[in-house]
């Protein structure tokens, strides 16, 4: 006698996972890291970096810790501030072979860099307070105004594309800044930030 569940599947011809009946590994681009890439333009950017149709793992990501730690620092008096290491909001690997794809970290920034710092090496974008992207890095600085007893802080969302990720094509800087900006917006929404200056979708270039 077959179990009831097996009989039901046999009758309907249903299977779980992939066509060969095995469970699909990993997640889609819209599912990883709390779904920060659900918006179509952001999902397209992540696919351009990770690969079309690739399934991903984000086991070393800590999106919940990012929010809790940033909330703590927003309640810490300015006199007690110290430089904060980035917390891994999203660390992505390819599910099939384990290759690293990218890492996005969030931290409080004690200061925003000058707009002319490294201007010849980066492309600037209109989102947040300062946003730039280079060949393998992207960063978005943005203010986060919170209600008392918390106070306004400046946050930095940093994306680093892994050396083994070979998505080197003309639009890569735009895609990187789109992902960093989406991660920033996701965390800002979780924290309840006001006055961030973050845009929706793909940030516009302010300088080639």
């Amino acid at each position: 006698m077959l179990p009831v569940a097996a009989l039901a599947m046999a009758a309907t011809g249903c299977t779980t996972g992939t066509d060969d009946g095995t469970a699909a590994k990993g997640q889609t681009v819209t599912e990883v890291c709390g779904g920060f890439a659900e918006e179509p333009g952001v999902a397209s950017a992540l696919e351009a970096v990770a690969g079309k149709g690739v399934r991903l793992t984000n086991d070393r990501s800590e999106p919940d810790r990012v929010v809790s730690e940033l909330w703590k620092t927003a309640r810490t008096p300015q006199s007690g501030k110290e430089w904060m290491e980035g917390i891994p909001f999203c660390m992505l690997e390819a599910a099939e072979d384990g290759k690293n794809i990218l890492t996005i970290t969030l931290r409080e920034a004690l200061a925003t860099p000058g707009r002319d710092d490294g201007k010849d090496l980066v492309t600037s974008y209109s989102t947040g307070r300062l946003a730039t992207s280079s060949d393998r890095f992207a960063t978005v600085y943005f203010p986060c105004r919170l209600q008392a007893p918390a106070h306004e802080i400046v946050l930095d969302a940093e994306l680093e594309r892994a050396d083994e990720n070979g998505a080197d094509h003309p639009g890569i800087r735009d895609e990187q800044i789109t992902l960093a900006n989406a991660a920033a917006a996701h965390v800002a929404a979780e924290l309840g930030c006001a006055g961030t200056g973050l845009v929706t979708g793909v940030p516009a270039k302010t300088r080639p």
Side-chain angles (χ1 to χ4, degrees), residues 12-72:
T12 58
C14 293
T15 60
T16 59
T18 58
D19 290 341
D20 61 3
T22 60
K25 294 181 179 179
Q27 297 175 296
T28 66
V29 294
T30 60
E31 295 171 327
V32 293
C33 303
F36 85 103
E38 286 180 331
E39 196 271 331
V42 182
S44 296
L46 185 49
E47 277 204 329
V49 175
K52 188 73 173 177
V54 70
R55 295 188 69 86
L56 306 168
T57 59
N58 60 172
D59 298 338
R60 293 184 290 167
S61 305
E62 299 182 87
D64 293 336
R65 180 177 163 234
V66 168
V67 174
S68 63
E69 291 296 321
L70 291 177
W71 178 245
K72 288 178 187 176

Side-chain angles (χ1 to χ4, degrees), residues 10-201:
T12 58
C14 293
T15 60
T16 59
T18 58
D19 290 341
D20 61 3
T22 60
K25 294 181 179 179
Q27 297 175 296
T28 66
V29 294
T30 60
E31 295 171 327
V32 293
C33 303
F36 85 103
E38 286 180 331
E39 196 271 331
V42 182
S44 296
L46 185 49
E47 277 204 329
V49 175
K52 188 73 173 177
V54 70
R55 295 188 69 86
L56 306 168
T57 59
N58 60 172
D59 298 338
R60 293 184 290 167
S61 305
E62 299 182 87
D64 293 336
R65 180 177 163 234
V66 168
V67 174
S68 63
E69 291 296 321
L70 291 177
W71 178 245
K72 288 178 187 176
T73 196
R75 295 168 63 98
T76 301
Q78 293 291 350
S79 59
K81 297 287 188 182
E82 296 180 358
W83 187 86
M84 179 182 184
E85 290 189 5
I87 304 168
F89 169 77
C90 193
M91 298 179 70
L92 295 180
E93 298 176 344
E96 184 176 354
D97 55 18
K99 284 186 178 179
N100 293 322
I101 294 173
L102 60 82
T103 299
I104 302 174
T105 60
L106 268 289
R107 66 182 179 90
E108 182 188 18
L110 297 183
T112 304
R115 291 188 175 274
D116 291 334
D117 292 355
K119 65 179 182 179
D120 296 331
L121 302 175
V122 301
T123 302
S124 296
Y125 296 82
S126 180
T127 188
R129 184 171 289 176
L130 178 69
T132 61
S133 186
S134 59
D135 290 343
R136 288 194 174 272
F137 299 90
T139 186
V140 178
Y141 288 84
F142 64 100
C144 173
R145 187 171 65 249
L146 296 166
Q147 294 182 348
H151 55 266
E152 179 172 301
I153 55 177
V154 176
L155 303 181
D156 177 22
E158 298 180 346
L159 178 149
E160 180 178 358
R161 190 161 54 90
D163 290 339
E164 56 200 277
N165 177 263
D168 299 305
H169 52 261
I172 191 66
R173 293 190 179 194
D174 295 348
E175 290 146 3
Q176 290 175 166
I177 202 68
T178 297
L179 295 173
N181 182 69
H186 184 94
V187 171
E190 291 290 313
L191 282 170
C193 299
T196 64
L198 296 170
V199 302
T200 301

